[in-house]
Amino acid sequence: GVGFLSDVNTKNDLYISLDFVSTRPLRYLATVAKIGSSKNLISVNGIYKSEYPLNKLLRYSFLSSGEAGASVISIDGSYVAPNGEIDCDDNAFPGVWDIRDNLRVKTGKESCLALFKR
């Protein structure tokens, strides 16, 4: 209830919102869902889960600019970069998430960028 809409993909009926978890520093968790629903489509680290206690939510939260449009959903609706950084490196967090396969994408820079150009 304290988050904001960050990106919408109307062609694929998807949205991502970011929810505040901490104010110092500003840290967020994401909800990736179908428009009209609040049920997360994926369950990777960085996703908001209401059943988690605050200390666990904080552990999986990430930094973001906090601006509307800070997240990016790919054109085909398959991938999301919750903090807007299209980075598929092994050490990237939160990185890029594959919505359909419910996992974090790990690939080279050019391949990663190509996911959002389709």
Side-chain angles (χ1 to χ4, degrees), residues 43-107:
S43 60
V44 297
N45 289 338
I47 287 292
Y48 178 76
K49 296 178 184 178
S50 60
E51 65 273 12
Y52 281 4
L54 182 59
N55 63 344
K56 194 166 187 178
L57 292 174
L58 285 169
R59 183 179 333 144
Y60 297 121
S61 64
F62 54 86
L63 296 171
S64 177
S65 68
E67 300 171 357
S71 304
V72 180
I73 301 172
S74 66
I75 294 168
D76 68 0
S78 298
Y79 306 96
V80 64
N83 66 348
E85 295 178 21
I86 300 172
D87 187 351
C88 299
D89 185 69
D90 285 343
N91 299 319
F93 187 77
V96 171
W97 301 337
D98 183 323
I99 298 169
R100 293 187 180 124
D101 290 336
N102 192 26
L103 52 84
R104 221 178 102 235
V105 177
K106 297 179 184 178
T107 187

Side-chain angles (χ1 to χ4, degrees), residues 8-14 34-35 74-77 118:
V8 177
N9 181 314
T10 55
K11 179 180 176 190
N12 293 285
D13 200 32
L14 295 171
K34 290 286 189 182
I35 294 172
S74 66
I75 294 168
D76 68 0
R118 294 184 190 168

